[in-house]
Amino acid sequence: MLRELASNIFKLHDYLLKRTDGRVRDYPLMQSPIEMTSILLAYVFFSVYVGPRLMANRKPFHLKTTMIVYNFSMVALNAYIVCEFMLSGWGTTYSWRCDLCDPSSSPQALRMIRVAWIFYFSKYIELLDTVFFVLRKKHSQITFLHVFHHSFMPWTWWWGITLTPVGGMGSFHALVNAVVHVIMYFYYGLSAAGPRFQKYLWWKKYLTAIQLIQFVLVSVHISQYYFMEKCDYQVPVWIHLIWIYGTFFFLLFSNFWVQAYIKGKRPPVTKDKPKQNGVTNDDVTTVTNGKQLENGMAHHYTNGKILPGKVKEV
């Protein structure tokens, strides 16, 4: 039985190698699902088990400078991703309707392949969000949703850019996500810079609205597929999955918006009181990826209950 299982695994591995888009095969982490799966499993093991135990009897690290550099570096990276997505199709040849994947080796198609891979690889860089939580002993922010999101996102994107042509209307959500990341990491960079920058963070509550707009744009754009007379998009399964994702999170965020801003079930806002390491006592009430941010940390908002969560996004 074990021999048969091993044989089936090797057959699947060979099948994946044959199916891998030749244009992306030579990029790092694209040769086999074993490498990326091993990295993500190690990340989960470190986040849930190894990291908290290593830090149990140690003092938390003060990473103010590191956090500033990291956040603003992520701003630059995501801004570059946005520009490349625009130049490789979304701002040049795409109609923003039934845009098909380009399976050719034209310069523009290869440029789309490259930016899709960079977006994919950026999700591995974002695993540092959790590493910083561990080193700073912010264990309450390392929730199931946080770890699941950070591990599942790059895992699914590997399959997307390996087995199917890259680009077309299925890549729109990545463009929008990168735009949102520019805004969010910019906010977190200013926040980490210290109390003297707090006066520039008056727009923190609008992060919730930005997230809602993100999912509206993604859902509306992908919904066009269902109303067109004909759209020969090569991988319709991704259309369905993106629509489910965008609609689900829009409903989740809308529920929070109603509870927090219409029904007024949010904490009262207090005056800013600077604390050490650039952290303030001001009540931050916003949502990122289904999470409510208060007093510098996030809380999951589910079924009317607020549970501890993480500060950073999607």
Side-chain angles (χ1 to χ4, degrees):
M1 189 175 194
L2 289 176
R3 191 173 292 179
E4 182 180 352
L5 177 62
S7 176
N8 290 333
I9 292 175
F10 283 118
K11 287 180 180 178
L12 175 62
H13 184 262
D14 291 339
Y15 171 76
L16 291 175
L17 292 181
K18 292 177 182 178
R19 278 294 307 272
T20 298
D21 191 323
R23 301 171 300 173
V24 76
R25 187 178 290 124
D26 294 332
Y27 281 89
L29 297 177
M30 298 310 302
Q31 289 70 38
S32 166
I34 296 176
E35 295 175 348
M36 65 95 175
T37 301
S38 299
I39 292 173
L40 295 174
L41 286 175
Y43 158 76
V44 173
F45 189 59
F46 172 82
S47 304
V48 176
Y49 185 81
V50 176
R53 281 160 180 76
L54 285 175
M55 293 299 298
N57 298 317
R58 291 179 170 86
K59 292 183 178 180
F61 287 88
H62 298 295
L63 303 174
K64 179 180 177 180
T65 301
T66 302
M67 294 297 295
I68 294 174
V69 173
Y70 170 72
N71 283 304
F72 284 114
S73 296
M74 292 304 290
V75 170
L77 176 60
N78 280 280
Y80 175 75
I81 291 173
V82 172
C83 290
E84 285 298 295
F85 267 127
M86 294 296 292
L87 293 174
S88 59
W90 288 105
T92 53
T93 60
Y94 282 11
S95 67
W96 294 65
R97 298 194 75 241
C98 182
D99 295 303
L100 306 182
C101 302
D102 185 354
S104 73
S105 295
S106 67
Q108 183 162 307
L110 294 178
R111 191 171 193 172
M112 177 62 78
I113 287 280
R114 186 168 67 94
V115 68
W117 179 85
I118 294 174
F119 178 80
Y120 160 73
F121 188 75
S122 73
K123 300 308 169 186
Y124 290 95
I125 300 176
E126 289 173 14
L127 300 182
L128 290 174
D129 291 356
T130 314
V131 174
F132 293 144
F133 285 149
V134 170
L135 296 179
R136 297 164 63 206
K137 300 187 75 169
K138 305 290 185 180
H139 303 315
S140 63
Q141 300 184 23
I142 307 174
T143 63
F144 169 79
L145 182 57
H146 170 84
V147 175
F148 177 78
H149 171 75
H150 276 67
S151 56
F152 191 67
M153 182 70 172
W155 193 81
T156 54
W157 254 80
W158 186 90
W159 297 96
I161 64 177
T162 299
L163 303 180
T164 61
V166 178
M169 63 190 304
S171 63
F172 178 72
H173 71 284
L175 167 65
V176 178
N177 184 255
V179 172
V180 172
H181 275 63
V182 170
I183 299 171
M184 291 176 58
Y185 277 109
F186 181 70
Y187 172 84
Y188 295 129
L190 288 179
S191 180
R196 65 184 182 278
F197 289 94
Q198 293 302 309
K199 60 184 178 180
Y200 302 113
L201 301 179
W202 54 267
W203 49 278
K204 55 195 172 187
K205 66 179 181 180
Y206 296 109
L207 289 179
T208 305
I210 292 171
Q211 288 285 7
L212 279 170
I213 293 171
Q214 171 185 200
F215 296 117
V216 169
L217 290 175
V218 170
S219 298
V220 169
H221 174 264
I222 214 69
S223 293
Q224 297 180 93
Y225 179 81
Y226 301 106
F227 299 99
M228 294 177 185
E229 284 189 23
K230 184 179 180 181
C231 182
D232 297 323
Y233 187 72
Q234 296 94 322
V235 279
V237 64
W238 296 121
I239 299 293
H240 308 320
L241 291 175
I242 293 169
W243 184 87
I244 291 172
Y245 173 87
T247 303
F248 172 77
F249 277 100
F250 174 75
L251 293 174
L252 180 64
F253 277 51
S254 296
N255 178 64
F256 168 79
W257 185 272
V258 170
Q259 298 296 326
Y261 295 101
I262 297 179
K263 293 186 177 180
K265 294 181 179 179
R266 60 173 176 158
V269 178
T270 59
K271 294 182 179 180
D272 292 354
K273 296 178 181 180
K275 296 176 77 175
Q276 293 180 349
N277 302 321
V279 180
T280 67
N281 275 336
D282 61 328
D283 288 319
V284 181
T285 304
T286 186
V287 168
T288 58
N289 289 337
K291 303 161 193 175
Q292 180 178 0
L293 275 67
E294 296 176 10
N295 297 326
M297 64 182 295
H299 299 74
H300 299 304
Y301 190 93
T302 308
N303 296 327
K305 297 180 180 179
I306 296 178
L307 303 173
K310 86 175 194 71
V311 172
K312 298 221 175 198
E313 50 77 275
V314 146

